[in-house]
Amino acid sequence: MKEKISTLIKSKWVFLRKNWKWSILGLVILLIIISKIVPNGFNPKTEIVEIAKIQNLQKTVKATGNVTSSVNLELSFNNSGVVSNVNTFLGQYVYKGQVLASLNAGSELGALNQAYGALKSAQAALARTLEGNTSEEVRVAEVTLENAKRAYSSTEKLQNTLVKNARANLYSNSLLAVSNMASSNTTAPTISGTYTADIEDEYNINIYSTGSGQYASYSSLTGQGGSFPVSTNTPIALGDKGLYIQFSTSSTTYNESWKIKIPNTTSVNYNTNLSSLKSAEDTRFSALETAQATIDNAQANLDLKKAKARPSDVLAREADVLTAQGRVQSALGAYEEKIIRAPINGYITRQDLRIGENIESKKIAIVLEERGGLFLEANINEADIDLIKPGQVVSFTVDTLGNNQTFIAEVTHIDGSPTKDGNIVNYKIKANILTGQDQIKIGSTANLSILIQEKENIVVIPNRAIYTNEDGTKYILFVTNEKKAKTKKLPVTVGFTGDGAMTEITSGLTGSEMVLFKTK
C-alpha cells in the first residue's frame, strides 16, 4: 500500500513538473472566479460616492405671495435729521434711482468723496505695482508730492487767513468802553480799529491830570500798556494790537476809568460771529485734513514707485484696494441713509416734508405711486429678511398659469415694521413685476424665488460630503480607488452654500473628482 501511494505521489509530481505552465494558468482562472463571486468596493448602504461638479450655484429665498396692482410706496428716511433738499413736487413723475429728498449730509458726503479718492489711489497703486515704474514715472510722482505739499501750504495760508479774519471780526465787533463807576454819567469813549491778537483780552483806561493837561493810561491782561495825552479830535492807538480810542468832551472827567472786554460778549452779533469763527476753524481742519491726505497718498505713491515689486507687495496693494472698497461701501451706505431715492418710476402723490424741518426716522415723508403696474406682495420670515435687498431679482410662477411659466420681478420695498402671527414674525416686501403683465391676473397666488447670490461655472459638492477638522478647517474624503474602496483626506476651502444643499469649493478640487459620504 505504501508503495502504491509513493508511486502515485511521484507520478503527480512528475506531471506538475512537466505541466507547470498549465498549473499557473489554472490558478489565475481560479482567482478570477473568486473575484467575481466575492463582492468588493464601497458598501452602498453606508457609503455614498458623490461627484464634484462644475456648474452654476444659486442661493434663493422662497416665499408665497399675491399679485396686486397700483404700487403705493411709503418712503421715509432711515435716520433723523434736518431736511436740506426737496427735489420734487406733488404730482411730479419721477424715475427709478432719482434722489427725491435729502438730509444734511455734509460729513457723510465728504467721507464718501474721501473714500472714493482712497479707492482710486489704492487701485492706481496696485496697477503701478503690477506694471513697474520708469524713472520718468518716479519723477512725476516726486513732482506730485511737491505739488501736494505746496497745495497744503497754500491751503493752510488761506484757511489761516480766513480763521484770522473771523477771529478779528469776533474780537473787534461792537467793542465798548464800560465805566468802572457805577453812577457815572459821562459819555464813554469810542473804540475803533481791528484787534489783531489771537487771544481774548481786557483793557483798563484811567484819566488823570498833570501839569501838562489831561492824560490817559491803559493796561491789558496780555501786557499792553502806556499813556498818552487825551484827545477829543483824533483816535489814539491803544498799543500795537490795532485798537484806537477817541474821547468825547464829556468823557475826560478827572479820575474817570473804563474797562474794555475783548470780545464784547454782550453784542447782539456775538453769537453769530462766534459761530462764524467755529465754522472757519472747522473748515480749516477739514481742508487741511484733506490736503494732508493728498500729501500722504502722494508720498505713498512715490515710495511705491521707487520700491521693487515683490509678490508680497502685490498682495498688500490688493488688500489696500479691498479695504478701500469696503470703506467706499460703508461711506456710501452712510450717505444713502441721508437720502430718499425713488425705487421705481412713478408719481408723487403725497409729500410731507419741508426744507429746514427736523424730521424723525421712519416717518412717512413721500408717497410714490406706480399707476397701472402689477407687483407682488409677500411675507418674509424674520430669519431671512436681512438677506433681502431692494433691486434683487425675483423669479416666480402663479398658480393660475401653472409652474411651467416663470416670470421676473424686482424687489422694490421692504417694510421696516414686522407683522406677527402668533409666534411667527414676518416682514412684508414688494416686488415690481417686469415680465408677463399682460398674462398675470390680479389676486393670483405667486410662488417667489428671490435670488440672493449666484455664481457661474464653479466647483460644487453636496454639503454632506464636507467634513470639519477639530481646528475648524474643512476636508473631504477623496476616492483614490473606488473598486478597492480606498480614500484619503483632502483639505478644501469652501465658499457659499446655495440651494439644493450644495456648497462651493474655492480650492482643493477642480471638478469631476469622486468624494465619499459616510452615512454611519
Side-chain angles (χ1 to χ4, degrees), residues 24 47 70 76 78 158 186 214 241 332 368 479 486:
I24 293 174
E47 298 173 312
S70 186
S76 61
N78 289 327
L158 173 61
T186 60
Q214 284 189 316
K241 301 303 181 184
L332 184 60
L368 180 62
V479 177
K486 298 292 184 181

Side-chain angles (χ1 to χ4, degrees), residues 33 84 130 150 157 195 251 257 285 289 360 449:
I33 293 172
S84 62
L130 294 174
R150 281 195 291 269
K157 183 177 180 181
Y195 184 68
S251 61
S257 65
F285 177 81
E289 186 177 48
E360 296 179 358
S449 178

Side-chain angles (χ1 to χ4, degrees), residues 30 94 116 132 148 159 216 243 252 263 285 372 378 392 400 444 456 468 499:
L30 179 62
V94 297
Y116 273 124
Q159 293 300 323
L243 294 183
T252 57
F285 177 81
Q392 288 175 336
T400 54
S444 299
E456 298 181 350
T468 304
D499 297 341

Side-chain angles (χ1 to χ4, degrees), residues 268-402:
V268 294
N269 297 322
Y270 173 75
N271 288 330
T272 299
N273 293 334
L274 181 61
S275 296
S276 296
L277 174 58
K278 290 182 177 179
S279 176
E281 290 174 337
D282 290 342
T283 301
R284 177 177 63 180
F285 177 81
S286 177
L288 292 181
E289 186 177 48
T290 301
Q292 184 61 50
T294 303
I295 290 177
D296 294 341
N297 288 336
Q299 182 66 60
N301 189 42
L302 176 59
D303 293 341
L304 183 62
K305 288 181 180 298
K306 289 183 176 180
K308 185 177 180 181
R310 298 171 297 177
S312 58
D313 295 331
V314 175
L315 290 175
R317 298 290 81 75
E318 290 173 340
D320 289 343
V321 170
L322 291 175
T323 300
Q325 288 173 337
R327 288 173 178 168
V328 166
Q329 293 301 318
S330 177
L332 184 60
Y335 175 69
E336 288 291 332
E337 294 291 311
K338 296 284 188 174
I339 63 177
I340 296 177
R341 288 188 186 274
I344 58 173
N345 297 343
Y347 293 89
I348 303 296
T349 59
R350 175 182 166 191
Q351 193 162 277
D352 188 15
L353 75 171
R354 297 178 300 277
I355 293 177
E357 174 188 0
N358 196 339
I359 193 168
E360 296 179 358
S361 65
K362 305 302 181 183
K363 175 188 175 183
I364 298 173
I366 295 174
V367 176
L368 180 62
E369 177 181 335
E370 183 189 35
R371 298 170 184 168
L374 299 181
F375 67 96
L376 303 173
E377 280 189 345
N379 288 322
I380 303 297
N381 189 267
E382 61 179 333
D384 295 323
I385 193 61
D386 284 343
L387 301 174
I388 310 301
K389 307 293 181 186
Q392 288 175 336
V393 175
V394 181
S395 59
F396 68 98
T397 61
V398 290
D399 290 351
T400 54
L401 297 176

Side-chain angles (χ1 to χ4, degrees), residues 403-425:
N403 295 328
N404 294 327
Q405 295 189 67
T406 300
F407 305 96
I408 301 299
E410 179 184 14
V411 176
T412 57
H413 179 73
I414 303 168
D415 277 1
S417 301
T419 59
K420 292 185 177 180
D421 184 6
N423 293 327
I424 300 175
V425 179

Side-chain angles (χ1 to χ4, degrees), residues 11 27 159 162 169 211 229 232 287 329 403:
S11 64
L27 180 60
Q159 293 300 323
L162 294 176
N169 188 45
T232 59
Q329 293 301 318
N403 295 328

